[in-house]
């Protein structure tokens, strides 16, 4: 995770800091192999925090990014979170074996909304435990899909994810709604910043909105407009210094 200044602004951030907040998303269902390779090379160029690819593309991403500072991440139970818990665990371990070091798992949204919190907790806990036994440095992010949840359900999800040992809570997949400032503030207010980070994902296409998300409590940003955002940051920093 990048070291960010308090209340980050254009003046206090650098383009390198901005890039290191970004998980560059390569998750569109029709994305070709060539597009995945191009996206990974873009991540290496800008030195993003990570690339987030579909499970079928992990080995390819790990090969392209070998020797770079960019982490390889993937999604688990994506995009709706409906896989059985043991299937999610298998998917997580296979992802690690293929080269992923960050896992963004979708929790079981329907079970959360049904009040089956023990099951949701156990699913997150079992995946987190298995992944960290396989790879102690593995980073686990739990996707809520906030657009489908009430505020009370979001708060419950924060508690469950933190208690289960997840590293991040995450707003959304990007396929249903997106990151809102209100959701980020709520998630930051109901997690311990010394234990749990917050990831904003969905609809973050400009530098200004990325910075708003950071100010609202996000530590990591899921985005596909990485080049636009980082180049805008470079241009604005250059304008400030001229």
């Amino acid at each position: 995770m990048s070291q960010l200044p308090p209340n980050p602004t254009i003046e206090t951030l650098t383009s390198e800091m901005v890039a290191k907040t970004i998980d560059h998303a390569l998750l569109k269902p029709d994305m070709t192999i060539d597009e995945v390779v191009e996206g990974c090379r873009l991540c290496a160029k800008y030195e993003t925090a990570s690339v987030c690819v579909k499970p079928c593309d992990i080995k390819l991403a790990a090969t392209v990014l070998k020797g770079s500072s960019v982490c390889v991440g993937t999604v688990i139970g994506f995009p709706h979170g409906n896989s059985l818990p043991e299937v999610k665990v298998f998917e997580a371990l296979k992802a690690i074996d293929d080269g992923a070091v960050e896992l963004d798992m979708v929790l079981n949204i329907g079970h959360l909304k049904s009040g089956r919190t023990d099951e949701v907790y156990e699913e997150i806990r079992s995946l987190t435990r298995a992944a960290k036994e396989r790879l102690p440095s593995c980073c686990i992010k739990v996707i809520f899909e906030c657009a489908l949840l009430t505020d009370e359900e979001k708060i419950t999800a924060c508690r469950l994810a933190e208690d289960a040992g997840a590293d991040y809570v995450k707003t959304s997949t990007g396929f249903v709604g997106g990151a809102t400032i209100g959701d980020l503030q709520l998630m930051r207010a109901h997690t311990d910043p010394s234990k749990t980070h917050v990831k904003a994902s969905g609809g973050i296409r400009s530098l200004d909105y990325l910075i708003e998300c950071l100010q609202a409590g996000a530590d990591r940003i899921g985005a596909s407009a990485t080049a636009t955002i980082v180049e805008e940051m470079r241009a604005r920093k250059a304008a400030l210094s001229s």
Side-chain angles (χ1 to χ4, degrees), residues 27-42:
L27 298 171
K28 292 181 179 177
D30 59 344
M31 186 163 275
T32 66
I33 294 297
D34 287 345
E35 288 172 325
V36 173
V37 171
E38 181 183 0
C40 289
R41 289 174 176 164
L42 183 147

Side-chain angles (χ1 to χ4, degrees), residues 116-206:
R116 297 168 71 170
T117 54
D118 288 347
E119 294 179 17
V120 176
Y121 165 81
E122 183 56 34
E123 175 185 86
I124 301 169
R125 189 195 67 84
S126 61
L127 185 146
T128 300
R129 177 177 292 180
K132 289 184 180 290
E133 284 178 354
R134 183 67 59 90
L135 180 68
S137 61
C138 187
C139 180
I140 308 297
K141 306 170 199 155
V142 180
I143 306 173
F144 292 0
E145 209 66 286
C146 285
L148 302 179
L149 304 178
T150 66
D151 283 355
E152 183 178 353
E153 289 163 347
K154 296 166 198 172
I155 292 168
T156 297
C158 284
R159 175 179 57 81
L160 296 173
E162 185 164 277
D163 289 350
D167 300 290
Y168 278 80
V169 292
K170 178 178 170 182
T171 57
S172 51
T173 61
F175 286 89
V176 181
T180 70
I181 299 304
D183 283 340
L184 292 168
Q185 291 171 335
L186 184 75
M187 293 162 77
R188 181 69 287 163
H190 290 89
T191 49
D192 181 347
S194 69
K195 295 193 295 186
T196 308
H197 305 299
V198 176
K199 178 175 173 179
S201 183
I204 304 168
R205 301 184 182 92
S206 71

Side-chain angles (χ1 to χ4, degrees), residues 16 18 90 193 215 228 232:
E16 291 79 12
V18 168
F90 176 85
Q215 291 172 343
T228 298
E232 183 181 356

